[in-house]
Amino acid sequence: MELRDKRILVTGGSDGIGKHICLKLAATGARLAILGRNAERLEAVAEACKEAGAPEALPLTCDLQDPAAIAEVASQVLESFGGLDILINNAGIWHKAGPLDTIAPEMLQATVQTNLTGLMQMTQAVLPALRENDEAIVLNVVSKSGVVAQAGQSVYTATKYGVRGFTEVLKADEAETGVRVGGLYQSGTNTEMFAKAGEDVPNHIFTEPDDLADVVVFVLSRPPKLWIHDIRIEL
């Protein structure tokens, strides 16, 4: 599929995997709506995307813990672009690994709302617009934790197993609409996600986000008859 001028919304695009996805998509000539919580970082990514070749890059602040903000920014994107071709649900947060009773109640709530509920709400908000296109995609950046249960990740893993189930059912529901649905299940990635939660991990051994972004662009650019709906990335 030709990505030039495709209208693409990327959540969690201000840093990490999302930032690199945006930069790679910009080089294809795609039009981008970049969502995140930090306005300053979003502006910087949007400018970098324009320099990389994006004809349009909209930096939009949105906290996925706020359903009203999700509805508002989704409406803003659809109005600005006149529709939408691709949704990349990438935003996510990490809680420091440990037994369930060591995870603060507010962290539990934030993780579930950001990683799972907000993702579903964003998808719900733009799905009718996606169905209007012959070539439309929902790609969920999930995590290996949506496939493998690992000690200390009870809440995080619950959200990612939820996203995996949501992805599979959405794929079945949209089979006749032309909206292609896929999930990316990546191992640890060299980003700031763990550090933000106060977790000290050996980031240097993890997959580079730039390499993951190459995979995303490859998957999105496949023709409908060669849709890769389940992508597993191992270290």
Side-chain angles (χ1 to χ4, degrees):
M1 184 172 75
E2 174 62 51
L3 294 178
R4 179 171 299 279
D5 292 324
K6 290 295 185 185
R7 301 159 297 180
I8 304 177
L9 188 161
V10 182
T11 69
S14 63
D15 62 4
I17 296 171
K19 172 184 175 180
H20 287 269
I21 289 173
C22 289
L23 290 171
K24 294 287 185 179
L25 289 172
T28 72
R31 299 165 63 193
L32 301 170
I34 308 166
L35 274 58
R37 292 182 294 178
N38 186 296
E40 185 176 347
R41 286 204 301 262
L42 282 171
E43 289 284 353
V45 174
E47 286 303 313
C49 285
K50 291 174 185 176
E51 292 174 6
E56 195 171 359
L58 305 177
L60 300 167
T61 56
C62 180
D63 188 344
L64 291 182
Q65 297 182 51
D66 182 350
I70 292 171
E72 181 179 347
V73 79
S75 178
Q76 186 177 349
V77 170
L78 297 179
E79 182 177 352
S80 297
F81 283 168
L84 192 67
D85 298 295
I86 297 173
L87 169 64
I88 301 177
N89 284 311
N90 165 76
I93 60 174
W94 169 263
H95 63 73
K96 191 172 183 179
L100 179 61
D101 56 346
T102 66
I103 301 169
E106 58 271 19
M107 192 68 222
L108 185 155
Q109 176 65 35
T111 304
V112 173
Q113 176 62 43
T114 303
N115 294 3
L116 178 59
T117 309
L119 178 150
M120 292 190 292
Q121 290 167 333
M122 180 62 74
T123 306
Q124 185 180 51
V126 302
L127 189 58
L130 291 171
R131 289 183 183 138
E132 294 177 3
N133 307 313
D134 293 331
E135 295 182 322
I137 293 171
V138 176
L139 180 64
N140 296 325
V141 180
V142 189
S143 168
K144 174 184 176 181
S145 294
V147 180
V148 180
Q150 300 173 88
Q153 298 184 19
S154 57
V155 177
Y156 183 80
T157 295
T159 67
K160 296 303 183 176
Y161 266 64
V163 175
R164 181 185 175 195
F166 173 71
T167 301
E168 292 301 311
V169 174
L170 189 67
K171 181 175 67 176
D173 284 348
E174 300 303 313
E176 302 302 320
T177 71
V179 178
R180 291 177 283 166
V181 180
L184 171 62
Y185 302 91
Q186 76 282 10
S187 294
T189 309
N190 187 9
T191 70
E192 295 298 315
M193 184 181 76
F194 300 108
K196 289 177 182 177
E199 192 87 76
D200 184 16
V201 299
N203 267 18
H204 66 282
I205 70 170
F206 293 158
T207 304
E208 294 300 328
D210 193 60
D211 294 333
L212 276 180
D214 280 331
V215 173
V216 169
V217 172
F218 175 81
V219 169
L220 295 179
S221 60
R222 296 310 90 198
K225 291 183 179 180
L226 191 61
W227 176 235
I228 307 170
H229 62 85
D230 192 290
I231 309 105
R232 309 290 176 96
I233 305 294
E234 299 290 343
L235 290 174

